[in-house]
Amino acid sequence: MNKMNITDVDLNLLKVFEALHEESSASRAALRLGVTQSAVSAALRRLREVYGDPLFVRTGRGLAPTLKANQLKPVVSDALNKCRQSLAMVDPTANHYDGRAVTVGMSDDFEIAYGRRLIEEIARSAAKLRLIFRQTHSQIVAQALMDRSIDLAITAGGFAERLLSRQVLGEGSYLCLVDPLSLVEGQQHISLEEFVAREHILVSSGGFIGITDEGLAAVGLSRRVCASTTHFAALPHLLKGSQAVATIPAHAARSIAALTGLALLPCPLALPRYPIELGWRTSTQLDPVVLKVREAIVASFA
């Protein structure tokens, strides 16, 4: 790559880079930016010259970013967001949300339970601001925030790093989901004996041991996990037509039961409650757009 000086570079190319990375398509990036596809293609050629890298390669599903592009993305978006932030400082009453997107990391239990509520809250308080929901969990969330692949995160903890800030949103508990056809008519509870006798579906980021197994072991019992999945959204398909039970966070259990008709039951086993936390990079404290989404998340959980 030739030595580059910022005075020799058209900084509008950075907006094209961001759009290409987020849309994975030259045509969609063009629509987003309000320019022609040929203009985006020309900008991509210039970007490749600037960075000495292909940046995006064509695949069967559009344009895929190279390693270099993925490394550049958080730096480029951070720079553009600082520019957008500066406009809000000049005129705080103006709508500077158009073109902004905030990435919120969460597992799909939170997305199922709170995603729609958060979208509606943002529509009321920051019209035109877009949300990106990205899968994460407590074991990887801190690194995702530090890598700037997400701006905010909702998890059951995981924010121990010195450069991260956090806020407790509430406290979580557990409920059980079963196919209503597996219950006797009018049954609204499941005994611990029946609970242990049934097969179980586990939602986990890895392995076949969960909080329920730890709780059972404490009272000298065990269960048989017939299958494990990483997605809460799969549970209706895995439970219907079976005798299986899934013990999951109460917020997701209520939402899934309401949408699918699965039966919602109290967990017969005493399981510990856990904090639900919102985390963010402390360095984003002054970004009014990230702050707006933080406020919307807090309102959604209230």
Side-chain angles (χ1 to χ4, degrees), residues 68-264:
K68 174 65 73 175
N70 283 333
Q71 292 171 335
L72 289 169
K73 174 58 167 60
V75 179
V76 170
S77 286
D78 193 44
L80 290 173
N81 288 339
K82 286 289 193 297
C83 293
R84 293 165 181 139
Q85 183 179 342
S86 72
L87 297 176
M89 292 171 65
V90 173
D91 185 3
T93 62
N95 183 348
H96 293 296
Y97 301 121
D98 196 8
R100 285 297 306 266
V102 173
T103 303
V104 183
M106 64 180 89
S107 50
D108 68 330
D109 57 320
F110 290 117
E111 192 171 344
I112 289 167
Y114 296 102
R116 183 68 243 171
R117 203 180 305 178
L118 181 55
I119 291 170
E120 292 170 356
E121 189 67 34
I122 288 295
R124 283 191 292 270
S125 61
K128 296 187 178 181
L129 175 64
R130 297 184 298 176
L131 295 171
I132 300 171
F133 296 137
R134 185 159 292 162
Q135 285 287 303
T136 190
H137 55 78
S138 59
Q139 295 175 1
I140 63 172
V141 66
Q143 190 60 48
L145 282 167
M146 296 306 296
D147 289 345
R148 300 173 182 263
S149 58
I150 57 176
D151 301 303
L152 296 161
I154 302 168
T155 75
F159 306 113
E161 270 71 6
R162 181 174 54 85
L163 299 178
L164 299 180
S165 298
R166 64 182 179 178
Q167 177 178 352
V168 176
L169 298 170
E171 193 174 56
S173 59
Y174 296 90
L175 290 170
C176 295
L177 288 175
V178 299
D179 185 336
L181 297 179
S182 72
L183 301 171
V184 299
E185 187 174 353
Q187 183 179 355
Q188 296 182 342
H189 296 82
I190 185 172
S191 69
L192 184 56
E193 182 181 15
E194 182 182 353
F195 180 80
V196 171
R198 286 178 178 244
E199 60 184 16
H200 291 253
I201 304 290
L202 172 66
V203 183
S204 172
S205 57
F208 282 94
I209 302 297
I211 188 72
T212 304
D213 300 282
E214 295 174 2
L216 287 171
V219 294
L221 297 172
S222 63
R223 64 175 179 167
R224 188 178 80 84
V225 175
C226 62
S228 175
T229 176
T230 58
H231 298 289
F232 289 87
L235 285 176
H237 307 283
L238 301 176
L239 291 172
K240 284 288 183 128
S242 78
Q243 295 289 314
V245 56
T247 305
I248 65 172
H251 53 264
R254 293 189 184 98
S255 296
I256 292 172
L259 285 171
T260 65
L262 288 173
L264 188 66

Side-chain angles (χ1 to χ4, degrees), residues 249-286:
H251 53 264
R254 293 189 184 98
S255 296
I256 292 172
L259 285 171
T260 65
L262 288 173
L264 188 66
L265 302 173
C267 181
L269 181 68
L271 296 175
R273 299 175 71 87
Y274 57 91
I276 299 172
E277 296 182 339
L278 170 64
W280 63 91
R281 291 185 302 281
T282 304
S283 60
T284 63
Q285 298 267 32
L286 299 179

